[in-house]
Amino acid sequence: MILNTELEFKGNLFPTKIISYVKNRDTLTFTSENGVALQVTVVRDSVLRFRFTTTSVFEKDFSYAITKYASRGYNFLEVTEDDAFYIITTSKLICNISKTDLRSFIYDAKDKTLLCEDELGFHWEENYHFGGNIVKMSKTSQDSESYYGLGDKPTDNNLKGKRFENWVTDSYAFGKNTDPIYKAIPFYTALHHGKSYGIFFDNTFKTEFDFCQERRNITSFWAHGGEMNYYFIYGPAMSDVVANYTDLTGKPHEMPALWTLGYHQCKWSYYPESNVKEIANKFRELQIPCDAIYLDIDYMEGFRCFTWSKEYFPDPKRMVKELADQGFKTIVIIDPGIKIDKDYWVYQEGIENDYFCKRADGPYMKGKVWPGECYFPDFTNPEVREWWSDLFKELVEDIGVKGVWNDMNEPAVMDVPGKSFPDDVRHEYEGNHCSHRKAHNIYGMQMARATYQGLKKFSYPKRPFVITRAAYAGTQRYTSSWTGDNVASWEHLTIANVQAQRMCMSGFSFIGSDIGGFAEQPNGELYARWIQLGIFHPFCRTHSSGDHGDQEPWAFGRNITDIVRKFIELRYQLLPYLYTAFWKYASEGIPILKSLVLFDQEDRHTHHRNDEFIFGEKILVCPVNAPNSRGRRMYFPRGNWYNLWTDELVEGGQELWVDADLDSMPIFIKEGAMIPKYPVQQYVGEKIIDELKFDVYYKPGKESSQLFEDAHDGYDYIKGRYSFREFNLIGKEKELIIQQHKSGKFDAPYQTFKLELHGLPFKAAKVTIDKEGFICEEIVVNGETTIIVDKNFREVVITSL
Ligand code: GLC
């Protein structure tokens, strides 16, 4: 359904004047003469929820996206009125509701900037066929307003001038601007006048967003059913908007085990067992770090989930154990389609308990996927999720599988129009029975949730690891994700970069792409450039469809192998840094990758940048995404940046050329940063870390850095057994001071830090620790000053002569 000229569309209906207003604690209800009711809930001082009904009665309030752990409560709330408006004031916002038509106008409470202004505001169109409304909202786009977010859209960072649809779709070999693809995350952030706010439209029906495409100054969104139900989230910092959205829809339930942040190797498919072993051995032989190896659908017996091919994997438990002895975790794929086969136990259980989705008229929903004709569990039923979670017992507890990869969960169906279930399929939806029109976008999310439940149950006390392809808002609570079936092309390298940034801006940071491309075959150069980008993605996995040739780090000749090794090694060195960034994400909702606009929204140059991003808080990265390059131009955000390779200092706020032959890439460290590094390991836990290295980058002035550590797996950190160290660096002309504040009960196995000083403008002559005049051991390596100090130091002062 495309509604082109909304304004002229005769079927649009609008609220009329307000005839009643009721306040019930944090919720204000305004009712119009024609029976439209608007509920405004003050979720927080900076978060308002708007909910409309056209029948005076609201549907039962239920959301898969909103977490019960979301922070609620405000400091100040006052409602006043004048002739034209009801005026809602919190400590952060002022929201005027027009008495004549329910339109809202939201202002910054402090400086009264108009942030978000309804144009037509809420309106709707009755849909006789669906038996509900198409609910719509339109807002006036402010001067120079830009838009970001919206999940996995494979397009430029800034969404202005474009229209999108959210309907999770199996999108083999999607291209730039293909829409929709695998994920539906109806959340965007907007930015104008230096201030940012977000809109989360929590509606699981097909939703559409138009950012000034149809009409130049109008942004609108609408859904093919359900309620107009959205959250307005104010910053003014974009990073706060994203953090608040992530708080609302949930942070990951736990930290990932550290090994999940290592390098993963995948292909469709490694089989039989001898092939898996060969791959594993080659990693160790060539000394290329790797933590996880994947089994795609061919490990199963005729693609039946929870079975093993006896021919290819006669003794999976032994194999998984042998891989584990070499430091590899085994991860297996599990799809939703359950083969119709009366001799197959999963099918039998599903039938006995009536767990599969049904068509409106009663028969089970039958569709073709890899195993042939299948039935599909209704993951929107909690009982089905419980059953599904128990199916993992043998895989995890007995065989020793460490992670599960959920694929095809859009749900994908082959050889049918729409590539998915028809609309009439019924779902339990936690007791709110509905059609597939409402459940489609959350089907994959609920599958990943059930899988997560199973892994958690049977891996405990280790942490679960799940990967999903389909997702709706909030899926980040349970699982990591990848961007689906991309293509081995230079354009797709660029797309992968923006998609990962966009997912991070949409509250979903544990994301990566199929490194090298899934469809078609990369050449060595493209593969190397993609690895360079991939090591900076929270989820780092090579995957390919496998039918065009090999895509392992050694598949492209020695030169490429050496480059790939060098970058994977860098990933492993940066693990404590990435783990700390993950901690900030899991505890505060701060995205792990920051697009430049999110890093510095005040600098207008950042509003249209795509390639550069900040990894964690301190590392500026810009992949080389064109063939035959010996470098590239890139924009440096404001501040000063050290070239990782040369220590040369670059002043930000300008675009510059950076050399980067194939064995290099533009990586810069923020001045003043302290970057923790582990030694290179072939897999997480291979070595006991006996000393933690920090690369310390001098800055005249102050900068703070952090380090989070714990046991790297398990749940002790929740009981306080973690350590959080905050470092303050203060650089002066002839002195460098580093102060440390530590909290938490975890004691790392090492005793000392090795501080390697970069860019020191003076020759260090004396080091004082904790004011006790203690002169520590000082060594000079390669002309750099390196100091070894006790890890619990409070203050280190390095002075010149
Ligand atoms: C889908 C997945 C892909 C997987 C393949 C076979 O195309 O996206 O990653 O390898 O199915 O399972």
Side-chain angles (χ1 to χ4, degrees), residues 553-625:
W554 51 84
F556 307 94
R558 233 182 101 186
N559 183 31
I560 300 295
T561 310
D562 290 343
I563 295 170
V564 171
R565 181 190 300 105
K566 169 176 163 178
F567 281 88
I568 296 181
E569 285 181 353
L570 178 59
R571 165 92 174 188
Y572 276 73
Q573 290 175 300
L574 288 172
L575 282 175
Y577 174 83
L578 174 57
Y579 199 58
T580 302
F582 222 113
W583 167 250
K584 299 212 88 178
Y585 167 53
S587 61
E588 294 170 48
I590 296 172
I592 296 176
L593 307 183
K594 296 164 189 73
S595 303
L596 290 197
V597 64
L598 194 125
F599 179 72
D600 186 0
Q601 70 195 47
E602 276 160 32
D603 174 3
R604 297 182 69 89
H605 290 104
T606 65
H607 297 191
H608 290 274
R609 302 302 306 186
N610 291 311
D611 292 351
E612 309 85 355
F613 62 93
I614 309 287
F615 171 68
E617 315 249 295
K618 312 280 181 195
I619 303 183
L620 168 66
V621 180
C622 187
V624 174
N625 49 8

Side-chain angles (χ1 to χ4, degrees), residues 170 172 182 267-268 296-297 333 335 370 405 407-408 469 482 484-485 514 518 541 543-545:
D170 177 10
Y172 174 80
Y182 301 93
K267 175 180 161 171
W268 179 16
D296 204 328
I297 48 176
I333 196 166
D335 290 349
W370 306 121
W405 168 25
D407 186 26
M408 307 293 276
R469 193 170 72 175
W482 89 107
D485 296 344
D514 282 351
F518 177 75
R541 179 183 79 160
H543 181 40
S544 68
S545 61

Side-chain angles (χ1 to χ4, degrees), residues 43-57:
V43 183
R44 301 172 65 167
D45 288 297
S46 56
V47 181
L48 304 178
R49 178 183 180 193
F50 294 81
R51 236 186 131 188
F52 294 86
T53 170
T54 57
T55 61
S56 312
V57 183

